Amino acid sequence: MMENRYERPLFDAARVIEEEAGECTVEVSLSFAGRAIQKSAKGEASETGRLKAAAVATLEAVRQAVDHHFECSLADLDHVNALGKNLIAVLVDITFEGKDIQVFGSCPIVNTELDAAVKAALNATNRFVELSSRS
């Protein structure tokens, strides 16, 4: 069995900080290559706003983890029911080696929707983290 020699960012924690005027900040912590990376993003205090902020913060952390070898941004996020599973799905715009690509990521809702939003964003970008590690 071949060993995967490329590390992927690992999800550590996410937390929502409620603010005034219907806004929140979501802080996401990842580990990658022995480094702890923490990023935050603002969003609406609604359920969808929190989830989108978590995904945006995750993508910012991924960009930092790979030293901006590729760019990524959230195009969309939704709740999906597929094959009897409740998922968080994300659509992510990626620019890698001069090409614009749109990728899909998903994660079943196991613990919290916030955790699933972070993991869906990681799922969408994992292949590009691996490719950028080879470059």
Side-chain angles (χ1 to χ4, degrees):
M1 189 162 140
M2 263 180 76
E3 184 179 324
N4 180 2
R5 24 182 216 136
Y6 302 105
E7 282 191 67
R8 292 181 173 172
L10 299 176
F11 171 60
D12 293 327
R15 72 182 186 117
V16 177
I17 303 164
E18 299 294 338
E19 296 178 6
E20 294 179 26
E23 290 189 345
C24 69
T25 298
V26 178
E27 291 181 348
V28 172
S29 300
L30 304 178
S31 301
F32 182 70
R35 297 182 292 162
I37 300 167
Q38 186 176 49
K39 289 291 182 179
S40 63
K42 291 191 176 291
E44 294 177 11
S46 67
E47 176 186 346
T48 301
R50 288 182 184 97
L51 299 179
K52 285 183 176 182
V56 167
T58 302
L59 295 174
E60 288 295 319
V62 167
R63 287 175 59 221
Q64 181 179 330
V66 298
D67 297 322
H68 300 273
H69 284 137
F70 66 87
E71 296 298 315
C72 53
S73 62
L74 182 67
D76 201 5
L77 177 144
D78 205 353
H79 289 82
V80 177
N81 188 298
L83 304 172
K85 302 277 186 198
N86 288 319
L87 311 166
I88 298 294
V90 296
L91 202 55
V92 176
D93 292 325
I94 292 181
T95 302
F96 180 69
E97 295 182 345
K99 295 181 183 109
D100 293 327
I101 305 152
Q102 198 167 58
V103 296
F104 173 82
S106 66
C107 180
I109 300 168
V110 177
N111 294 322
T112 68
E113 290 183 346
L114 197 68
D115 290 359
V118 170
K119 291 175 183 178
L122 290 173
N123 177 257
T125 57
N126 276 341
R127 179 72 178 137
F128 290 90
V129 169
E130 190 176 304
L131 288 171
S132 69
S133 297
R134 292 179 185 175
S135 311

